[in-house]
Amino acid sequence: MSDNLVITIGREYGSGGHEIGQKIAAQLGIKCYDRELLELAAKDSGLCPEIMENHDEKPTNSFLYSLVMDTYSMGFSSAATYLDMPINHKVFLAQFEAIKKLADRESCVIVGRCADYALEDYPNMVSVFIKAPLSSRVTRIMERNNVSEDKAFEMIAKRDKKRASYYNYYSSKKWGEAKSYDLCLDSSKVGIEGAIKVIRAYIDTRKK
């Protein structure tokens, strides 16, 4: 465990959370990890990148979740129990370990993947959740992805359901609920740059 600054960002689809993560990382002179985390996890775990990609942020049922966490807590990651584990859980454990290694090694921003849960014992971790009204997110997705309104609604519903299911299964908290994070921000009200200012102000204030 280290004192590196790690900002974790949970986000509703279309809220601009990824962009906020990238920009605040650039301002602070640190790296932002989103899908890049999959490459690190694949390299450290020996799982191929395609498997990491296909099973990224996939939820599971509570019984299998218990099996994963029992295995993890008992240190059996290289034992026969691990070898028999479904691939979803191997991917989760690989990302869990990669997140901890990153936090030990450097200050950074990590988007998604239960990073706030993985690092909940780290003293200098700041957890942020970015949200926005559905209408605002639909407009953003339509413009960014050049899709129809109906398609944007469909994409948002599917992606948010996937993220919520993954977070709620693998963490002890609830996705998007205020008490699960240090900060919850509405990007439609403060804007991308405003969100960055609030996060940075919070970090500076917390240090004092």
Side-chain angles (χ1 to χ4, degrees):
M1 188 180 299
S2 74
D3 291 327
N4 290 327
L5 171 64
V6 180
I7 303 170
T8 66
I9 297 183
R11 71 287 184 219
E12 290 181 329
Y13 187 61
S15 65
H18 179 80
E19 183 180 353
I20 290 169
Q22 286 185 316
K23 288 188 173 181
I24 196 169
Q27 288 185 17
L28 294 173
I30 58 180
K31 292 182 180 179
C32 178
Y33 294 91
D34 188 345
R35 308 202 74 79
E36 297 86 353
L37 186 66
L38 300 180
E39 298 177 11
L40 294 176
K43 182 179 179 180
D44 291 343
S45 67
L47 296 172
C48 72
E50 290 77 12
I51 289 177
M52 299 296 298
E53 183 76 26
N54 290 336
H55 294 273
D56 181 36
E57 291 192 316
K58 292 287 181 66
T60 184
N61 64 53
S62 58
F63 171 76
L64 291 177
Y65 159 73
S66 297
L67 173 64
V68 171
M69 295 314 295
D70 286 346
T71 301
Y72 177 77
S73 64
M74 295 175 69
F76 291 161
S77 59
S78 60
T81 306
Y82 174 80
L83 296 177
D84 293 334
M85 189 181 295
I87 192 63
N88 283 30
H89 315 323
K90 292 181 181 179
V91 169
F92 168 76
L93 289 179
Q95 291 190 32
F96 201 84
E97 289 292 342
I99 288 167
K100 286 181 171 291
K101 287 181 179 179
L102 263 181
D104 287 336
R105 188 179 72 202
E106 63 187 77
S107 293
C108 59
V109 175
I110 303 177
V111 180
R113 296 170 184 82
C114 292
D116 58 308
Y117 176 61
L119 303 176
E120 62 180 351
D121 295 328
Y122 282 62
N124 213 21
M125 185 272 291
V126 174
S127 59
V128 181
F129 189 83
I130 305 297
K131 66 174 188 173
L134 181 57
S135 58
S136 174
R137 294 188 287 137
V138 166
T139 298
R140 183 183 179 90
I141 295 302
M142 288 174 64
E143 294 175 351
R144 188 185 71 187
N145 295 53
N146 193 27
V147 296
S148 67
E149 184 178 37
D150 287 345
K151 182 61 177 179
F153 271 112
E154 179 186 339
M155 292 170 68
I156 289 170
K158 184 176 181 180
R159 195 67 65 89
D160 279 356
K161 181 178 180 180
K162 175 183 173 183
R163 289 174 178 174
S165 296
Y166 181 85
Y167 187 91
N168 294 343
Y169 277 129
Y170 281 119
S171 82
S172 57
K173 301 178 289 184
K174 187 173 181 180
W175 186 79
E177 192 172 80
K179 65 181 181 180
S180 298
Y181 310 90
D182 295 319
L183 288 174
C184 289
L185 300 173
D186 186 334
S187 60
S188 72
K189 293 182 177 178
V190 298
I192 299 299
E193 297 302 326
I196 293 171
K197 289 179 181 178
V198 172
I199 296 169
R200 294 196 63 175
Y202 174 81
I203 293 170
D204 291 340
T205 301
R206 201 173 82 155
K207 285 180 179 179
K208 296 177 181 178

